[in-house]
């Protein structure tokens, strides 16, 4: 069995009604792969409908240290990701960080 040096963390938030995300998924979901030593996001996926949104979002998150102040990342999202689902994305990111921090404290 392969020795893993990363952790997969997921989180969800309700998608805003009237958006394609809501119509397809009902929830905004985030999946983060995090390096256990550096705590940096090494891969990210979100329940976006388009590949462009997936790729753009991934570029915004990869490299961020989840033990750092999340406000820096949230400001980046608010500045560069201007959509009806921005609030849901932010809630999911906060939830993922909280879940990760709880896990590494164990």
């Amino acid at each position: 069995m392969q020795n893993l040096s990363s952790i997969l963390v997921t989180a969800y938030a309700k998608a805003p009604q009237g958006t394609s995300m809501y119509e397809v998924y009902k929830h905004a979901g985030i999946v983060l792969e995090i390096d256990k030593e550096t705590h940096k996001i090494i891969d990210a996926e979100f329940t976006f409908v388009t590949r462009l949104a997936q790729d753009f979002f991934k570029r915004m998150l990869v490299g961020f240290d989840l033990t750092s102040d999340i406000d820096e990342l949230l400001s980046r999202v608010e500045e560069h990701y201007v959509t009806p689902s921005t609030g849901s994305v932010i809630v999911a990111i906060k939830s993922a960080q909280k879940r990760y921090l709880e896990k590494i404290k164990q």
Side-chain angles (χ1 to χ4, degrees):
M1 190 176 332
Q2 184 179 359
N3 188 17
L4 299 175
S5 61
S6 61
I7 295 175
L8 203 64
V9 177
T10 64
Y12 301 90
K14 186 176 180 186
Q17 290 185 346
T19 64
S20 57
M21 182 186 289
Y22 180 82
E23 297 303 321
V24 174
Y25 302 112
K26 304 293 185 231
H27 289 86
I30 188 172
V31 181
L32 301 174
E33 183 179 5
I34 304 155
D35 184 285
K36 290 194 294 188
E37 289 186 27
T38 66
H39 309 291
K40 289 185 179 181
I41 298 170
I42 54 178
D43 205 353
E45 284 191 17
F46 211 92
T47 53
F48 294 128
V49 177
T50 68
R51 183 177 304 153
L52 176 60
Q54 280 280 0
D55 292 343
F56 186 82
F57 185 76
K58 180 177 178 175
R59 289 193 314 265
M60 277 197 301
L61 270 64
V62 167
F64 182 78
D65 181 341
L66 268 186
T67 60
S68 298
D69 182 4
I70 196 74
D71 289 337
E72 177 187 335
L73 180 59
L74 300 181
S75 293
R76 183 175 168 92
V77 170
E78 288 174 337
E79 180 180 348
H80 296 282
Y81 183 71
V82 184
T83 70
S85 62
T86 302
S88 298
V89 169
I90 287 171
V91 169
I93 291 170
K94 286 179 179 179
S95 181
Q97 184 198 36
K98 180 181 178 191
R99 181 168 287 148
Y100 179 71
L101 293 176
E102 288 171 354
K103 173 65 180 172
I104 63 173
K105 287 180 183 176
Q106 292 179 351

